[in-house]
Amino acid sequence: MPASPSTARAINDRLALRLLQREGPLTAGQLKQLTGLSRPTVADLVERLTASGLIEMVGESGAQRRGPNARLYGIVGDRAHLAALDVRLESVSVLVSDLVGRVLAEASVPIDADAGTGPAVEQAVALVERAVKEAGARATSPEAEGVQRREREPGPVREWGSLHTVGIGAPGLIDPATGELRNTTGLPAWHRSLVAALQERLPDARVVVENETNLAALAEMRDGAARDRDTFVLLWLDMGIGAAVVLDGALRRGASGGAGELGFLPVPGTRGLPSATDCEGGFHSLAGAAAVLELARECRVSGIEGAVDGATAAEGVRWAVATVADARAARFLDALADRLALGVASVVALLDPGCVVLGGEVGQAGGEELAVRVAERIARMSPLPAEVRPSVLGDTAVLRGALLTAQDGAQDELFG
């Protein structure tokens, strides 16, 4: 059956908004070309979306043409604000943007977990509130504040500037049934308390929590190393080890939210087996930051010889990449690739993703040098083809993924 006029209008509006999300500001002519709709239909939807406060004229096209330049229309960015958080073991980073992702404020703060859960949570929440204020956003709706809606001409009376959605990236497992951060051994208690505190202090904002590795994968798929892939695995190489699985464009979390807990994978070369509460003895024991740093010491990587206690695994890898002609550097990278190949080969054999992205601080530091070495080993170990690529976004991937998640959720609701 043909769609009713109201349904057809809704479909056309959604199509136009999706194009403006993906392409940025467009003229009516460009919308006509991209949608395949008639000129009158496009003119009607532009008028309708402008009147509803969803789009506005943002400039004129610069094309050389006779007559006046065409008007450019874009999504109204200040209709709502978004916040994104990257929650680490000892720090929190936050950015606040408008609805189209323009960053308005950024900040980070180290968290002293030894001070106790309450002070740690207060540090993090205060950081978010300062960033929201700096961005010119409101933490609560105008009704909650007793503020009258303000009118902007031309256009209808609209509410502006409220914080709509907060996206949080954190280590640990997310319960797929409730969307809550689960109580995971080894993670600080203030992580779970932070989510509840933000929901209490920002009552009108929707708070969404996702595993940090999953968010990094979403960011790499949209803006990074996996832009041309809809099936891939991101291997997170940092203090902890994890993987994000994307199949046919969808993030796969598993039955309990634990898909990709690669640190618990039993592998040869460790001194035992992992347990239900400790990943020591699993892949983590070979590829976690502490193990990588110890390997660098064994290979006598000179970049950390003088400062063993203060050195990080990423610094050792970065030095080895920069001085790869040095025999010690090459030996270290080869040994590290041998270890990583054990985990990557298991992923390739089980999922056949066709592409594995090396993320986290160690993956970013290793870059192409490390990725090529791992790929060579996988080619010898597996009959299944698999590209190995370094992260493009590096340590910004989690924050970028949190922002994209918040943006998608907010736009879906507002544009619905």
Side-chain angles (χ1 to χ4, degrees):
M1 294 179 62
S4 67
S6 61
T7 300
R9 285 194 295 270
I11 293 171
N12 293 340
D13 289 354
R14 169 67 72 153
L15 176 58
L17 288 166
R18 285 299 185 196
L19 286 169
L20 291 169
Q21 285 176 264
R22 189 181 70 198
E23 305 291 340
L26 298 169
T27 65
Q30 290 170 327
L31 283 170
K32 174 182 177 297
Q33 181 180 11
L34 291 170
T35 61
L37 299 172
S38 68
R39 189 179 300 276
T41 299
V42 169
D44 182 50
L45 74 82
V46 167
E47 181 179 356
R48 187 165 56 249
L49 293 175
T50 301
S52 65
L54 294 175
I55 70 172
E56 63 186 348
M57 194 183 85
V58 296
E60 295 182 343
S61 67
Q64 298 298 320
R65 58 194 294 275
R66 298 182 64 180
N69 289 336
R71 294 178 176 181
L72 278 168
Y73 294 93
I75 292 172
V76 178
D78 60 351
R79 184 180 178 91
H81 289 83
L82 315 167
L85 277 73
D86 181 0
V87 180
R88 303 291 177 99
L89 294 179
E90 298 177 343
S91 67
V92 172
S93 298
V94 61
L95 64 79
V96 180
S97 81
D98 64 11
L99 186 59
V100 294
R102 286 187 292 258
V103 177
L104 305 174
E106 292 183 84
S108 61
V109 65
I111 300 295
D112 182 11
D114 293 337
T117 298
V121 169
E122 183 57 36
Q123 273 186 287
V125 174
L127 177 75
V128 175
E129 291 177 331
R130 287 196 302 271
V132 169
K133 184 177 180 179
E134 180 184 340
R138 288 194 304 270
T140 55
S141 67
E143 286 81 1
E145 296 177 352
V147 177
Q148 290 187 349
R149 298 186 298 178
R150 59 190 173 92
E151 184 175 357
R152 192 167 70 173
E153 297 293 347
V157 176
R158 298 182 286 185
E159 294 176 4
W160 299 92
S162 295
L163 185 63
H164 186 284
T165 304
V166 180
I168 303 175
L173 301 179
I174 309 299
D175 189 320
T178 65
E180 296 178 351
L181 189 63
R182 289 168 54 181
N183 189 11
T184 307
T185 303
L187 294 178
W190 65 268
H191 278 196
R192 297 187 75 230
S193 299
L194 173 60
V195 176
L198 285 171
Q199 289 173 329
E200 180 180 349
R201 298 270 278 270
L202 306 171
D204 294 309
R206 182 173 58 180
V207 179
V208 181
V209 189
E210 181 57 270
N211 173 266
E212 60 180 356
T213 307
N214 288 344
L215 290 179
L218 292 176
E220 294 286 357
M221 182 170 61
R222 292 273 285 272
D223 300 323
R227 277 175 293 183
D228 60 337
R229 311 289 305 203
D230 65 358
T231 294
F232 71 99
V233 168
L234 181 136
L235 178 58
W236 188 257
L237 303 169
D238 214 310
M239 292 184 66
I241 297 294
V245 179
V246 178
L247 303 178
D248 299 324
L251 188 65
R252 306 297 181 178
R253 297 175 176 83
S256 65
E261 284 296 311
L262 213 58
F264 287 88
L265 180 72
V267 291
T270 64
R271 300 175 182 176
L273 292 171
S275 70
T277 58
D278 192 350
C279 58
E280 284 300 321
F283 185 51
H284 171 84
S285 296
L286 293 184
V292 173
L293 184 57
E294 182 59 33
L295 179 63
R297 292 171 182 155
E298 292 173 4
C299 293
R300 304 180 67 184
V301 173
S302 64
I304 64 169
E305 281 179 348
V308 171
D309 292 337
T312 68
E315 287 170 0
V317 175
R318 198 172 293 113
W319 176 88
V321 169
T323 59
V324 69
D326 185 294
R328 292 171 298 175
R331 185 169 64 251
F332 168 57
L333 289 175
D334 285 339
L336 179 56
D338 288 341
R339 293 184 175 193
L340 297 182
L342 295 175
V344 173
S346 299
V347 167
V348 170
L350 185 63
L351 299 174
D352 187 20
C355 178
V356 176
V357 177
L358 303 183
E361 288 193 1
V362 170
Q364 179 189 13
E368 196 66 32
E369 284 285 346
L370 183 59
V372 167
R373 283 171 163 78
V374 175
E376 290 172 347
R377 287 153 176 79
I378 297 305
R380 295 196 298 265
M381 297 168 67
S382 173
L384 305 177
E387 291 185 67
V388 180
R389 303 176 179 179
S391 165
V392 169
L393 300 176
D395 59 3
T396 67
V398 176
L399 207 55
R400 177 64 181 159
L403 178 59
L404 288 170
T405 299
Q407 185 179 0
D408 288 347
Q411 289 184 351
D412 281 345
E413 181 177 320
L414 293 173
F415 297 167

